[in-house]
Amino acid sequence: MPASSKYKELFRNATIKDKLSLLQTLVDGREDLSPDLALALMKIIHGDLSIPQTRDRSPYKRYAELVEALRFHTPGLLKQVVENWKAQQNPTPAEWFSEHKKLW
């Protein structure tokens, strides 16, 4: 394989299967997976899965299996991921901290 095609492979866009493989590798090697990294990857994968693509349902199944593996092998880590995800879903509105609140 010529060097140029090797370099081209380095900068290609990752597919959903690539991202799932990365998460699988990290789940398998538990010591490298922090709650922040797990959350980031899971949010990216979840976002990809929510975009209608093809009729191939295998990424959904694989994602569910990875979540179940986290639940079985590292329940504390999964709990932290879920808590952090929920905390980011309902941020405190910025206007609550505004110095220029309108008084009605």
Side-chain angles (χ1 to χ4, degrees):
M1 180 183 288
S4 62
S5 57
K6 287 181 185 178
Y7 294 131
K8 192 176 192 179
E9 183 69 14
L10 286 173
F11 298 103
R12 70 177 172 81
N13 289 329
T15 65
I16 184 75
K17 291 181 181 185
D18 294 332
K19 295 169 191 174
L20 286 164
S21 293
L22 175 59
L23 183 57
Q24 178 72 58
T25 300
L26 293 170
V27 168
D28 292 345
R30 294 174 195 96
E31 64 277 350
D32 293 333
L33 188 58
S34 70
D36 290 335
L37 179 57
L39 175 63
L41 282 170
M42 291 174 78
K43 286 183 88 168
I44 290 168
I45 293 167
H46 191 265
D48 287 352
L49 290 174
S50 60
I51 299 170
Q53 295 169 349
T54 65
R55 294 180 180 240
D56 181 13
R57 306 305 279 175
S58 63
Y60 294 93
K61 182 180 181 218
R62 189 158 176 213
Y63 181 71
E65 291 169 349
L66 285 168
V67 171
E68 190 57 34
L70 282 172
R71 182 184 328 275
F72 181 76
H73 295 292
T74 55
L77 181 123
L78 182 60
K79 182 180 179 192
Q80 286 180 305
V81 168
V82 170
E83 288 172 357
N84 291 342
W85 192 313
K86 286 180 181 178
Q88 291 178 6
Q89 295 296 319
N90 298 316
T92 305
E95 60 269 11
W96 287 10
F97 298 102
S98 174
E99 290 182 26
H100 308 289
K101 290 183 181 179
K102 293 181 180 178
L103 298 176
W104 302 105

